[in-house]
Amino acid sequence: MGARKPQHRILKGIGVSPGVAYGKVCVYGDLHTVPRYPIQAEEVNGELARLDEAIRESSRALEKMRRKVEAEMGKEEADIFLAHQMMVEDKHFRAQVAQRMTRTHLNVEAAIEDVLEESGRVFRESENAYLRERADDLQDVGHRLLSNLLSYQRECLLDEKGKTIVAADELSPSLTVHLDKRRVAGFVTERGGLTSHASILARAMGVPAVVGVHGLPNDVEIGYPAIVDGFEGTVHLHPTPEVVVEYQRLEAELAAHQETHRALIDLPSVTQDGEKVVLEANIGKGVDVESALLYKAEGVGLYRTEFHFMIRSEFPDEEEQYILYRRAVERMAPYPVTIRTLDLGGDKYLSYLPRTREANPYLGWRGIRVSLGHPKVLKTQLKAILRAGVHGQVRVLFPMIATMEDLRRAKEVLREAGEELGAEGIPHDEAVPVGAMIEVPSAAVLAPVLVREVDFVSIGTNDLTQFILAVDRSNERVSRYYEPLSPAVLWLVRDVIWVARETGKEVSICGEMAGEPAYVPLLLGLGLRHFSMSPVLIPDVKEVIRSSTIAQAKKIAERALVVPTAEEVKAVLAGEQASV
Ligand code: PEP
Ligand code: MG
């Protein structure tokens, strides 16, 4: 009987990063369940030999990656692979797996899974902080071994030259920052939402992505040809030649569209009636600053510094951070670089910072709360930022401010950082402008008093939307409730912009909303003049700005602000008459 010809199938999800990509699927992580089957006593040795081969193979792959990352990114980034190499070669771990197999007479993959589960629990619950910190590393190393045994091509993430569609149950921001844009053509995941950080990173990388594809583990296999359609939120498995041709045509059209948009890069961001609008970049990895320059961003409105911390195996020290920030500041000069202090929690965490499991991570140990809980970490970062300020224009931005107390305590640490640098005789900028993210509803409500104690505010509509509407931004099950155009969100955004402008303080939006061309007239009409977004989005937003007038924009905003539903707001933006 001949092999069955694979059928073309379409999976539905949520498109979170526009574009189309064609490539072969590479499966990452937990997507497949680990097989469990009984073995005979005499098979144990054979299974152990498989384990040894997988250990050797994993160790070789880690060594290769360590060298590569060290050459391309530096020693610090590469150290994580060294730590993993030591773990994969750990004799104790091998002995545990062997014991387990002898006792249970189950295959080696099942034994590894059980040992991982058991050790992971012991690590997480340990009194010893070092062991707790290693729990995630252990999982990572274990998955690598399993991938190897089950021939999952995990290394394709870093090694494949061809185009790869990365399939995963969920993409963690830490994995996404490690991926090489030149090799990854698209992402598809079972979980995640529009403003999950991995989705934001996918957009910044210009990699088409679809999340929330239910049943992905059953549907997808390594090496499957697939098309990711980030516009429609669909994934085509085993596309027919006709479908491939159709998508190739679309890809060519997109390339032509990008070409015409290239012309926009050099044009000023000014409305038809002469109003200047500042378009800034959101950056994360150091190289993003090159993208900001390429798209002629007039500053960095949001530097998400946590990604520097996520790709390391321990906290970067002051000197190392200073070098990173200084590079961005010098490259962007004379434009300002707004450096946000470490914003951990939610879907971003560090393998080396102990954390407890939280029932509601987005409402938990996040942002400035983590930093204030580790004032030395915060102070080190602030000192590095102040020092970078000597080389251009730097601004400090505090994330997740929910109370005046938090803001004041953060400013106090900033003052101490300046004093310490002064006492140490280290050159630094003594008057770095200070800003607060307005992304928690309480901060938005407190805006009239809060703006008095800062130099600028930046509205984080990603979090603000999730908190106002009580919708987890990464949870695809509730994604249809996640609606930044909801009047509840818009009215609060309007108030914050109004308050800031009344007090003469700069206000920007750095959430994903700012990079959505369809929302631009509305935001202009609300009085917004600073937008910060992924650099790739700048030309599209600029095009709308250049074809708008403030008078029209105000009319649109007026209409949008009197309708009670997001659907009606959308109708207003689409130019349809509001039903009032
Ligand atoms: C936001 O919440 O809108 C924001 C810009 O911050 P982040 O997406 O990093 O949480
Ligand atoms: Mg936020």
Side-chain angles (χ1 to χ4, degrees):
M1 202 171 71
R4 208 153 40 95
K5 197 169 170 292
Q7 292 285 314
H8 172 211
R9 285 217 321 283
I10 303 176
L11 313 178
K12 286 268 342 141
I14 311 163
V16 293
S17 181
V20 294
Y22 177 58
K24 289 225 164 85
V25 169
C26 156
V27 175
Y28 174 79
D30 284 341
L31 208 52
H32 292 66
T33 39
V34 173
R36 302 180 84 83
Y37 49 89
I39 53 166
Q40 305 295 325
E42 57 274 19
E43 287 176 307
V44 168
N45 278 342
E47 289 291 276
L48 267 179
R50 287 182 63 218
L51 174 63
D52 287 336
E53 181 50 34
I55 289 174
R56 273 194 299 276
E57 196 42 55
S58 301
S59 178
R60 266 198 299 270
L62 282 162
E63 172 65 18
K64 201 168 141 196
M65 261 190 280
R66 188 183 65 73
R67 283 170 199 267
K68 182 175 144 50
V69 172
E70 185 168 330
E72 287 179 6
M73 298 168 82
K75 186 168 170 341
E76 292 292 323
E77 282 88 345
D79 275 356
I80 182 89
F81 296 108
L82 193 60
H84 283 195
Q85 210 176 343
M86 284 161 75
M87 288 177 95
V88 94
E89 288 172 3
D90 182 24
K91 296 269 176 291
H92 179 63
F93 179 74
R94 182 189 181 279
Q96 276 180 304
V97 176
Q99 238 176 34
R100 182 104 204 160
M101 269 195 301
T102 320
R103 214 173 61 227
T104 60
H105 287 133
L106 281 175
N107 59 318
V108 64
E109 291 90 349
I112 292 176
E113 191 178 48
D114 292 346
V115 170
L116 279 180
E117 162 95 30
E118 217 170 85
S119 314
R121 198 174 48 242
V122 173
F123 275 35
R124 273 192 302 275
E125 290 168 4
S126 165
E127 297 278 300
N128 180 326
Y130 178 79
L131 284 185
R132 283 200 306 272
E133 290 162 27
R134 298 281 77 82
D136 289 327
D137 289 325
L138 181 74
Q139 291 303 321
D140 213 50
V141 167
H143 286 147
R144 173 176 295 282
L145 271 179
L146 286 172
S147 301
N148 222 299
L149 281 159
L150 299 166
S151 327
Y152 296 171
Q153 297 170 4
R154 201 186 133 144
E155 267 61 51
C156 62
L157 303 184
L158 283 158
D159 290 348
E160 278 263 319
K161 293 280 179 295
K163 294 211 167 187
T164 300
I165 307 285
V166 176
D169 48 0
E170 186 169 25
L171 276 174
S172 66
S174 59
L175 167 69
T176 319
V177 289
H178 278 112
L179 296 178
D180 182 340
K181 177 179 159 178
R182 285 163 301 178
R183 288 165 204 170
V184 177
F187 292 131
V188 47
T189 68
E190 190 176 32
R191 294 202 296 272
L194 185 68
T195 58
S196 306
H197 283 92
S199 304
I200 293 175
L201 285 168
R203 280 194 290 282
M205 290 164 78
V207 172
V210 176
V211 305
V213 180
H214 294 293
L216 188 63
N218 304 325
D219 286 321
V220 82
E221 288 286 345
I222 288 173
Y224 271 19
I227 289 170
V228 172
D229 182 339
F231 296 110
E232 280 199 356
T234 50
V235 179
H236 296 255
L237 292 180
H238 294 294
T240 58
E242 294 77 26
V243 174
V244 174
V245 168
E246 184 54 27
Y247 272 95
Q248 278 166 345
R249 191 188 54 73
L250 186 60
E251 238 179 333
E253 265 177 29
L254 283 171
H257 170 79
Q258 271 176 353
E259 201 48 50
T260 38
H261 269 211
R262 237 176 273 279
L264 276 161
I265 292 177
D266 291 315
L267 297 176
S269 169
V270 181
T271 60
Q272 292 268 318
D273 44 355
E275 183 86 5
K276 167 82 190 146
V277 181
V278 180
L279 300 183
E280 297 181 312
N282 289 354
I283 66 169
K285 287 187 283 183
V287 292
D288 293 347
V289 85
E290 301 309 319
S291 181
L293 289 168
L294 190 72
Y295 288 99
K296 302 249 165 88
E298 294 183 291
V300 168
L302 173 65
Y303 188 165
R304 289 185 169 98
T305 55
E306 44 279 6
F307 298 122
H308 291 309
F309 290 70
M310 284 158 87
I311 55 174
R312 284 170 169 72
S313 50
E314 58 190 3
F315 282 110
D317 64 19
E318 182 188 313
E319 190 62 22
E320 203 179 344
Q321 290 189 60
Y322 161 64
I323 291 168
L324 288 167
Y325 305 151
R326 174 182 172 168
R327 198 183 302 150
V329 169
E330 284 179 339
R331 294 290 288 145
M332 286 310 293
Y335 297 114
V337 176
T338 309
I339 306 182
R340 184 173 73 180
T341 61
L342 192 56
D343 186 15
L344 294 176
D347 60 355
K348 292 177 291 192
Y349 57 88
L350 305 178
S351 59
Y352 50 90
L353 185 68
R355 64 187 175 125
T356 45
R357 265 181 206 287
E358 295 178 297
N360 295 301
Y362 278 108
L363 301 179
W365 191 235
R366 279 195 67 191
I368 199 68
R369 300 170 187 173
V370 178
S371 295
L372 291 173
H374 297 274
K376 262 173 83 177
V377 173
L378 177 61
K379 200 184 288 176
T380 302
Q381 182 171 34
L382 289 170
K383 285 169 90 172
I385 296 172
L386 294 182
R387 288 174 59 192
V390 173
H391 306 280
Q393 270 202 70
V394 158
R395 317 192 310 165
V396 175
L397 180 60
F398 292 119
M400 277 292 286
I401 294 292
T403 64
M404 289 299 284
E405 289 88 335
D406 278 356
L407 175 63
R408 287 178 181 160
R409 285 177 63 209
K411 284 178 67 181
E412 182 57 21
V413 182
L414 178 66
R415 194 185 54 73
E416 286 167 17
E419 272 175 15
E420 280 183 22
L421 286 171
E424 292 161 22
I426 299 175
H428 62 284
D429 184 348
E430 288 176 7
V432 164
V434 179
M437 291 280 295
I438 305 287
E439 54 183 344
V440 179
S442 58
V445 173
L446 285 172
V449 285
L450 205 142
V451 291
R452 288 197 220 131
E453 303 199 12
V454 290
D455 300 298
F456 66 97
V457 289
S458 189
I459 308 177
T461 46
N462 303 339
D463 275 311
L464 195 59
T465 303
Q466 82 163 340
F467 293 135
I468 292 180
L469 298 173
V471 202
D472 179 342
R473 64 193 262 190
S474 313
N475 183 344
E476 70 289 344
R477 280 188 77 177
V478 288
S479 63
R480 72 192 169 87
Y481 291 98
Y482 187 91
E483 182 48 83
L485 289 184
S486 156
V489 179
L490 289 185
W491 297 357
L492 210 47
V493 167
R494 167 200 59 192
D495 293 350
V496 175
I497 295 174
W498 185 83
V499 162
R501 287 184 60 128
E502 279 296 291
T503 42
K505 300 289 166 74
E506 185 190 299
V507 51
S508 69
I509 291 185
C510 62
E512 295 306 290
M513 200 179 181
E516 175 53 61
Y519 302 172
V520 169
L522 169 65
L523 298 177
L524 284 177
L526 293 179
L528 195 74
R529 297 294 179 266
H530 288 78
F531 293 61
S532 193
M533 67 204 78
S534 281
V536 290
L537 303 173
I538 290 178
D540 282 345
V541 168
K542 197 191 279 180
E543 187 174 38
V544 182
I545 287 169
R546 290 179 56 82
S547 62
S548 303
T549 67
I550 296 297
Q552 288 160 351
K554 278 189 176 151
K555 279 207 186 94
I556 290 171
E558 268 164 30
R559 281 192 222 124
L561 286 169
V562 290
V563 294
T565 67
E567 283 315 307
E568 286 160 285
V569 173
K570 284 180 196 166
V572 171
L573 298 193
E576 295 156 24
Q577 205 50 47
S579 56
V580 281

